Amino acid sequence: MADNIVKAFTELAPRYEKTMDRELRFMWGLPYRDFVNRLVQVAEVEEGSRILDIATGTAVIPLSIGAEVRDSVQVVGLDITPAMLRQGMRNVRRAPSTAHIDLVCGSAMSVSLADGVFDMVVCGLAMHHLNVARTLSEIGRVLTEDGRLNLGVVGVPLFWRSWWGEKIVVAGIRAFYRFTHGGPRAQAESDAFYNLHTGEEWRAILSASGFVDIEITEIPSRFRWGPNALFVKARLASPAQ
Ligand SMILES: C[S@@+](CC[C@H](N)C(=O)[O-])C[C@H]1O[C@@H](n2cnc3c(N)ncnc32)[C@H](O)[C@@H]1O
């Protein structure tokens, strides 16, 4: 599965941001940059924070954090696809940001970073490509006590949970991406269907994984049975809780 994801995002890397912009405008009527900026604003990053951006892609989220909070913040962007990180390095070098941004190649499911070092973890548009339980366990490990989590995820409507919904949507995703991007992305996006959740499911998953103070805001889909955008905020419960 990871090989396929790396192949899909290696092909996509040179036109990733333009492609996301087109897809997010289509689904939510929202430019990609506005989605990222909204995720960062909802996160309310504090000065001096140490932040891990899981599946950072081309480093657009770290750069948006840097623009918001400037040089007092330290961001590590982690991603499994070297081509996305190379594009990210170019973006970081070109940007006027003075924030301290490091990009690291590795998997979100086994993060090679020390325990309890990050005040916040963010992840945008990527949880559906990850094993959610394993990633949340790694997030819980690297966060400080009381550390915060901010996700920008694709949320699913209840129709997608029905037998017909699943068949129609998986076939539709496969056909759409095969036609527009080719096999690897079609496979990566149709596999990702099974990691997509409704807002209520996210609440249950996060509380079972030791998170509290869960808040979810939503941008509805432009289509009746389309996916919505969810901004999910939570805090790691302290051991006493
Ligand atoms: C849709 S992009 C999101 C990029 C970025 N977060 C953004 O908001 O634009 C998904 C990213 O997830 C990364 N990814 C997928 N599986 C991963 C894994 N197991 N560990 C780390 N990154 C992963 C891909 O390489 C890709 O860059």
Side-chain angles (χ1 to χ4, degrees):
M1 191 167 160
D3 284 356
N4 192 55
I5 286 175
V6 171
K7 212 167 172 187
F9 282 100
T10 300
E11 284 172 8
L12 195 55
R15 56 202 154 81
Y16 172 74
E17 288 150 46
K18 271 196 182 141
T19 305
M20 282 300 113
D21 193 55
R22 211 168 41 237
E23 292 180 3
L24 268 54
R25 283 174 195 265
F26 177 71
M27 283 192 297
W28 303 323
L30 189 70
Y32 168 60
R33 295 281 163 168
D34 289 4
F35 174 90
V36 170
N37 292 340
R38 180 144 167 196
L39 173 63
V40 170
Q41 276 154 17
V42 169
E44 297 176 297
V45 177
E46 285 163 14
E47 289 197 9
S49 307
R50 288 154 307 169
I51 302 165
L52 174 64
D53 177 27
I54 295 244
T56 193
T58 57
V60 177
I61 293 174
L63 285 167
S64 174
I65 293 172
E68 184 92 0
V69 198
R70 304 207 172 268
D71 42 17
S72 69
V73 80
Q74 286 180 37
V75 191
V76 174
L78 174 83
D79 201 283
I80 203 169
T81 307
M84 291 290 275
L85 290 173
R86 279 196 292 275
Q87 196 68 34
M89 282 307 300
R90 282 193 280 273
N91 286 344
V92 170
R93 270 192 235 112
R94 272 202 296 256
S97 171
T98 49
H100 190 113
I101 299 172
D102 289 313
L103 300 182
V104 176
C105 193
S107 172
M109 271 96 84
S110 89
V111 177
S112 54
L113 297 166
D115 296 1
V117 287
F118 293 100
D119 305 298
M120 179 182 284
V121 171
V122 292
C123 180
L125 299 171
M127 285 304 284
H128 55 290
H129 291 302
L130 308 174
N131 176 310
V132 173
R134 275 168 60 194
T135 305
L136 287 176
S137 151
E138 283 295 79
I139 291 173
R141 183 181 67 73
V142 298
L143 274 176
T144 53
E145 229 176 78
D146 264 4
R148 293 186 293 143
L149 172 64
N150 282 273
L151 306 175
V153 296
V154 179
V156 295
L158 276 177
F159 170 66
W160 290 29
R161 286 282 169 265
S162 65
W163 189 88
W164 277 110
E166 178 187 329
K167 300 287 169 242
I168 293 168
V169 173
V170 172
I173 290 174
R174 200 167 284 141
F176 173 78
Y177 284 108
R178 185 172 290 281
F179 180 67
T180 55
H181 288 84
R185 184 142 191 233
Q187 190 63 49
E189 299 295 345
S190 53
D191 288 346
F193 175 88
Y194 300 96
N195 294 324
L196 293 171
H197 298 287
T198 65
E200 281 319 299
E201 286 168 355
W202 272 112
R203 269 183 206 286
I205 291 167
L206 288 171
S207 74
S209 305
F211 289 87
V212 292
D213 299 344
I214 301 161
E215 290 170 34
I216 302 182
T217 49
E218 175 188 330
I219 296 176
S221 172
R222 291 175 56 230
F223 306 100
R224 181 151 178 215
W225 285 311
N228 46 14
L230 301 176
F231 296 97
V232 181
K233 266 179 98 153
R235 185 173 58 79
L236 190 63
S238 53
Q241 278 180 305

